[in-house]
Amino acid sequence: LLDTLSDDKRAMVVAVEIEQMTIPEAAEALAIPATTAQTRLRSGRRELAQAVARLKAPNRWRVP
């Protein structure tokens, strides 16, 4: 699912969610402003949540 994100959003999501960096640390590591980092992270999280929902959607209608 990470591959569905743009490189910029994926970098932020990986830095914060997987590498456990703070937003300021990730922003510094990626040489971007903190506000840009926050925007990319928020957008990346939203897109990942939507991708997960799409994967789960077909399973809602399966007969057990």
Side-chain angles (χ1 to χ4, degrees):
L1 292 177
L2 285 172
D3 287 339
T4 66
L5 299 177
S6 69
D7 291 342
D8 294 336
K9 292 174 188 172
R10 182 174 46 250
M12 272 306 298
V13 170
V14 168
V16 173
E17 301 295 343
I18 297 173
E19 301 285 336
Q20 297 294 301
M21 291 181 172
T22 64
I23 293 172
E25 289 171 340
E28 184 177 339
L30 296 170
I32 58 174
T35 54
T36 301
Q38 290 172 328
T39 300
R40 289 179 185 175
L41 179 61
R42 187 179 319 112
S43 181
R45 284 174 171 164
R46 182 177 54 247
E47 289 179 24
L48 276 177
Q50 291 169 347
V52 168
R54 282 191 303 272
L55 280 177
K56 290 182 176 182
N59 295 329
R60 290 184 197 160
W61 303 107
R62 274 197 192 148
V63 177

